[in-house]
Structure formats: structure tokens, C-alpha cells
Amino acid sequence: MRIGIDLGGTKTEVIALADNGAQLYRHRLPTPRNDYGQTIETIARLVALAEAETGQRGSVGIGIPGTLSPVSGRVKNANSTWLNGQPFDRDLAQRLGREVRIANDANCLAVSEATDGAGAGAATVFAVIIGTGCGAGIALNGQALNGANGNAGEWGHNPLPWMDDEELLFRQQVPCYCGRQGCIETFISGTGFATDYQRLSGTARTGAEIITLASRGDALAEQALARYEVRLAKSLAHVVNMLDPDVIVLGGGMSNVDRLYQTVPALIASWVFGGECATPVRKAQHGDSSGVRGAAWLWPL
């Protein structure tokens, strides 16, 4: 049995998978924000619940919103900032009494979708999380690509390419939590989408509310969504020019906006070198289960 943990900013989830990928157990608990010790205890409790429910002991894989530094062996780049600088894998291994495997949460999404999801059978899968934040992961032949510095797929903290005048202004006014300006995350995360609408309208709304307004013909909501589609397309074209993946998979809250799958692929081609792009853009087949399933699949057969 494989146990996967998805450590998010607001919730921590466990899944237990049989060897054939069938779900045996799934449960969520609130993430104890800004408390490293209680984060470890929450994960230990979820593992214990999964094993008690199934009557089996499992391997443990964990997806985190950051990465383990190959240099220091400690967490870096986590927007759950209380993890940064901590020897998370060692502390968890000691608490659980077994080896654990840790990967970036977007890499877990990529592994899940490459294993038995929207990218099954593809050699190179680029998987994007567009939710509260924005990240990406790469799976090569079903395995996560971490990179020499642990940074493979950190696409959201590159500058938005080919900025127009409005985007240059946005860049100046909306800094990224990482300390830089103009990061892709500030534009195409769900948070960035809501921020752009608020700048247009003067009214704060959730992403879901804005999408509903756009579907009803609201001009400002439609403008915000159209700008979002172009920005997402430019950001993905940048990936095609560098990596040229076999498939792009979208996860996170914004991936549920169905019209993206009609509008964005055609827009990508406008920015790809050579002016053509046949790369499919697909919704994550396992939805919000994909990250936690991918964490479990960090232990392959």
C-alpha cells in the first residue's frame, strides 16, 4: 500500500492507494499554519488514520509547496514559509519510523497525471497548478524531474514573457511574495486573476464570482478573463519554446474554467517560435485528488 500526503496552505490530505491505484482511504485535516511541530504531528496523525482504517502499513510520499535543497537537505522556496530551512524529510522519517519521499506538489501533480491521468502514456508531461498560487512540475516517463538545484518546473517565478504596457504597470503595482516583480504567479494564479479584476472594477470578488459574471456577459469580468487567457497562453508558449512537452495538464482552481481549453491552445500558437503548436492542454483527470495521488506514486511499483 502507498500513502500520499498533500501538504497545502489551508488543508493537509492523506490518501491510501492499493497497488493497482484504487483508493482505499482519503481524509483531510486543517493545516496548522506557522507551526512546524504541529505540521509534523498532523501528518503523523493522518498516516496513523490511514493505516488504522486499512489495516495495512504503507510507504509514505509527501507533496509540499516547495522543494528540498540538494545542497542543504532542507526545505526551500515554500510559500508555507514555516517549512523553509527545516530538515523536513529527516524529521518526518524519525517521527514515522520509516523513510519518506518528498517532492514539490506540482511535481506530484505531474507524476499522478503521467501515471494514470490526462498525461498517461506521454513521455514528457508539464503540469500546472493555478490556484491560490502558481507552480508547475515535470514528469519524464512517469517520474518527477527535480533538477540539479531542485528547481525544475519553478515556472511561476519566472517573469511573464512579452509584457505589454498594462502588464508592465501590473508588475510595478503587484509584487510577488518571493520579493521580485513580474512573476508569472502574480498574473495567472487565481489570486492574480482576482487582483486584476479588482484593479479593473474597484470591487473585490472571488475568482468563481468573476467567472460567473463573465458567463452572464459582464464586460469587466469578460475583460479580466480575456486578459487572463492571453497571459496564460504566453506563459505556456514560453514552456513550449524551451521544453516542448507532449502534453500540458492544468490543475488547481482556475483549471475548472472550461473555456480555457477552447481559447488557450489557439492563443499559445501565436507566441510559439514558428507560429504553430499542436500541444494538447488538458484538465487534470484526477482533479483535486491529483496532487495527493502523485505523492503516493513517489514510490513506484
Side-chain angles (χ1 to χ4, degrees):
M1 182 179 74
R2 295 174 182 78
I3 295 172
I5 301 284
D6 181 20
L7 175 58
T10 58
K11 56 86 181 171
T12 302
E13 183 174 10
V14 67
I15 198 168
L17 298 180
D19 287 346
N20 64 1
Q23 178 178 308
L24 303 175
Y25 179 75
R26 186 178 176 190
H27 189 64
R28 293 179 176 181
L29 291 173
T31 296
R33 293 183 62 81
N34 301 312
D35 192 325
Y36 181 68
Q38 283 304 307
T39 297
I40 289 175
E41 290 305 313
T42 296
I43 291 171
R45 181 182 172 194
L46 287 168
V47 171
L49 286 170
E51 294 186 334
E53 179 69 23
T54 62
Q56 302 180 58
R57 182 178 171 89
S59 58
V60 177
I62 303 169
I64 65 171
T67 191
L68 287 175
S69 166
V71 177
S72 68
R74 295 171 181 264
V75 175
K76 66 176 183 178
N77 300 339
N79 57 15
S80 298
T81 53
W82 65 95
L83 300 175
N84 288 325
Q86 300 287 355
F88 195 40
D89 57 339
R90 285 171 277 168
D91 289 343
L92 277 170
Q94 182 175 17
R95 176 65 180 83
L96 296 174
R98 73 197 82 172
E99 181 186 357
V100 299
R101 293 184 179 178
I102 291 179
N104 177 265
D105 53 2
N107 280 347
C108 290
L109 169 66
V111 168
S112 173
E113 293 297 322
T115 299
D116 61 355
T124 307
V125 176
F126 187 79
V128 175
I129 296 176
I130 36 178
T132 304
C134 166
I138 302 166
L140 299 179
N141 298 315
Q143 300 296 306
L145 175 66
N146 293 315
N149 299 292
N151 282 342
E154 283 293 355
W155 164 76
H157 293 284
N158 289 295
L160 182 76
W162 305 292
M163 288 191 199
D164 61 24
D165 289 344
E166 170 57 32
E167 290 157 355
L168 289 169
L169 181 61
F170 188 108
R171 175 185 182 275
Q172 294 173 4
Q173 296 177 344
V174 186
C176 186
Y177 81 89
C178 74
R180 301 184 185 275
Q181 294 180 311
C183 290
I184 287 170
E185 174 162 319
T186 63
F187 289 94
I188 68 162
S189 62
T191 306
F193 173 56
T195 298
D196 193 40
Y197 175 81
Q198 185 172 5
R199 291 172 72 248
L200 283 168
S201 67
T203 303
R205 296 189 184 276
T206 67
E209 289 171 339
I210 300 164
I211 295 301
T212 298
L213 285 173
S215 70
R216 294 173 180 171
D218 182 272
L220 289 179
E222 174 59 33
Q223 184 180 355
L225 183 52
R227 296 205 309 198
Y228 179 88
E229 290 166 338
V230 170
R231 292 164 182 173
L232 178 58
K234 290 196 290 189
S235 301
L236 293 175
H238 203 43
V239 173
V240 173
N241 284 342
M242 292 188 297
L243 182 64
D244 207 4
D246 296 304
V247 60
I248 295 169
V249 178
L250 304 184
M254 291 299 292
S255 73
N256 294 316
V257 180
D258 288 336
R259 85 175 224 182
L260 296 180
Y261 303 96
Q262 283 73 54
T263 58
V264 171
L267 290 169
I268 291 174
S270 302
W271 302 98
V272 168
F273 183 60
E276 59 185 29
C277 180
T279 307
V281 179
R282 299 172 180 160
K283 184 187 295 189
Q285 183 172 314
H286 296 297
D288 64 359
S289 298
S290 219
V292 72
R293 286 175 62 87
W297 285 116
L298 293 175
W299 294 86
L301 285 171

